[in-house]
Amino acid sequence: MAFFEKPLTGKEIFSIPNIMGYFRILLIPVYVLLYYHAESVREYYIAAVLVGISGITDMLDGKVARHFNMITELGKALDPVADKLTLGAMILCLAFRYENMRWLVGLFVLKEGFMGIMGLLLSHYRGRKLDGAKWYGKVCTAFSYVVMFVLFFFLRLPLSLVNGLIVCCGVLMAVTWVLYVPVFVKMWKEK
């Protein structure tokens, strides 16, 4: 089974919400390079502002798609990919600044790798796909985004607070991963 049930049209590919999704993905290497090579507080703040613009664009693309009836199958796939790439890039950037963030990089890769592989297997072998994120997935993503943005923007937080936020993100990611396992198992077993 093909990922998209019907061929994509130019109107779908170049809809305003999808262009916002492409923009979010294109911003990733820009703020990663800025953050990685930052030598002053100002440069860190510029990277944080770009992350903020990406977050605002993320909120707007869904609102525009729903309000103007521009919801597309491509957009349904593009938005979570942009979310995961953005969040992963932020976590990776912060891993260069905070040693304990490296544990979160590993957990993020394992969780999202599992989700991606299961999604592909279900699509290919069962002709099924997850119909949007579950509420706990949305909570995990939103919480992680907020924490990463705080760590991007506030450079002088006490290390104990930073480590506490990292642990909270890690626990939430692990719990979310565990909660998704039975969802995928059930989908796999269904005809």
Side-chain angles (χ1 to χ4, degrees):
M1 179 181 173
F3 189 76
F4 298 111
E5 293 179 15
K6 59 183 181 173
L8 298 172
T9 66
K11 186 177 180 181
E12 290 173 321
I13 293 169
F14 297 108
S15 71
I16 292 170
N18 290 348
I19 290 171
M20 288 185 204
Y22 307 142
F23 175 72
R24 287 173 53 214
I25 292 170
L26 291 173
L27 266 183
I28 293 169
V30 177
Y31 65 73
V32 166
L33 287 171
L34 280 169
Y35 190 88
Y36 183 72
H37 292 292
E39 294 179 358
S40 68
V41 171
R42 181 180 177 274
E43 290 170 335
Y44 281 114
Y45 284 151
I46 291 170
V49 166
L50 291 178
V51 169
I53 290 169
S54 176
I56 291 167
T57 305
D58 182 26
M59 288 187 294
L60 287 177
D61 68 2
K63 290 184 186 306
V64 169
R66 286 185 294 278
H67 183 76
F68 293 103
N69 197 23
M70 294 179 165
I71 297 171
T72 64
E73 289 302 310
L74 176 60
K76 289 179 187 177
L78 181 66
D79 189 59
V81 168
D83 287 345
K84 301 312 177 193
L85 290 174
T86 300
L87 186 55
M90 291 169 69
I91 292 169
L92 190 59
C93 283
L94 291 164
F96 288 101
R97 187 172 176 87
Y98 303 109
E99 186 175 331
N100 287 334
M101 188 65 75
R102 295 173 191 157
W103 291 100
L104 203 59
V105 169
L107 180 59
F108 179 81
V109 168
L110 289 172
K111 174 187 169 281
E112 295 306 328
F114 168 80
M115 300 283 290
I117 290 168
M118 288 305 298
L120 289 172
L121 289 173
L122 281 167
S123 176
H124 183 75
Y125 291 108
R126 296 287 194 245
R128 307 204 56 215
K129 57 185 171 185
L130 195 61
D131 189 29
K134 301 293 184 191
W135 68 267
Y136 41 85
K138 291 179 181 181
V139 168
C140 179
T141 299
F143 181 79
S144 299
Y145 254 106
V146 169
V147 167
M148 297 310 128
F149 183 73
V150 164
L151 295 178
F152 248 72
F153 198 77
F154 298 101
L155 301 172
R156 293 186 175 91
L157 292 174
L159 191 56
S160 58
L161 177 59
V162 170
N163 288 334
L165 291 171
I166 292 169
V167 167
C168 288
C169 274
V171 168
L172 196 52
M173 276 185 200
V175 168
T176 301
W177 184 8
V178 168
L179 289 173
Y180 267 114
V181 169
V183 171
F184 284 115
V185 168
K186 181 181 176 194
M187 288 174 69
W188 186 263
K189 289 180 178 178
E190 289 175 349
K191 297 285 184 189

